[in-house]
Amino acid sequence: KHDATLAKQLVDAASSTVQNLAEGMGHRGGNRRLKWEIAFGEANEVKGSLDLARAWGYVLDDQCVRAKLQRLLALCWGLTKGGTARARSTRSESQNR
């Protein structure tokens, strides 16, 4: 509604996140992790786009979306870095409150 370029970037990054997670399932080893690392980067881009939308006043309440996004980021982190993602995500969420 307010910024078509930002909206397109957010949608593209969200779509790429899902597509790279799915594509990673069809790969093995380093290629799999690479796809999941790309998904993690794209999910962070979604977060950045939300940050911009909130900063510009385009979005007032995005808590529901951010909670889901934080969970997705933790999932991507866990896929790429190992099983400590939940502990770090929980600790990070506690610090942000």
Side-chain angles (χ1 to χ4, degrees):
K1 179 178 176 182
H2 300 284
D3 186 336
T5 303
L6 180 59
K8 181 177 181 342
Q9 191 74 20
L10 192 150
V11 168
D12 288 348
S15 295
S16 182
T17 301
V18 173
Q19 291 166 335
N20 277 287
L21 284 170
E23 192 172 347
M25 293 301 296
H27 290 272
R28 292 180 184 223
N31 287 335
R32 173 180 274 188
R33 195 176 83 225
L34 176 63
K35 293 296 180 183
W36 289 343
E37 287 173 349
I38 292 169
F40 182 65
E42 294 292 336
N44 269 312
E45 188 174 334
V46 170
K47 183 178 177 291
S49 295
L50 284 175
D51 291 344
L52 280 171
R54 191 162 34 174
W56 288 113
Y58 302 153
V59 175
L60 300 177
D61 183 13
D62 61 359
Q63 287 180 328
C64 182
V65 171
R66 282 189 184 269
K68 291 177 182 178
L69 182 57
Q70 189 61 35
R71 192 167 177 215
L72 177 62
L73 285 164
L75 168 80
C76 291
W77 179 264
L79 290 171
T80 59
K81 305 298 184 206
T84 59
R86 179 171 285 183
R88 288 182 187 158
S89 174
T90 303
R91 188 170 41 238
S92 175
E93 287 175 19
S94 297
Q95 291 172 351
N96 289 336
R97 289 185 185 168

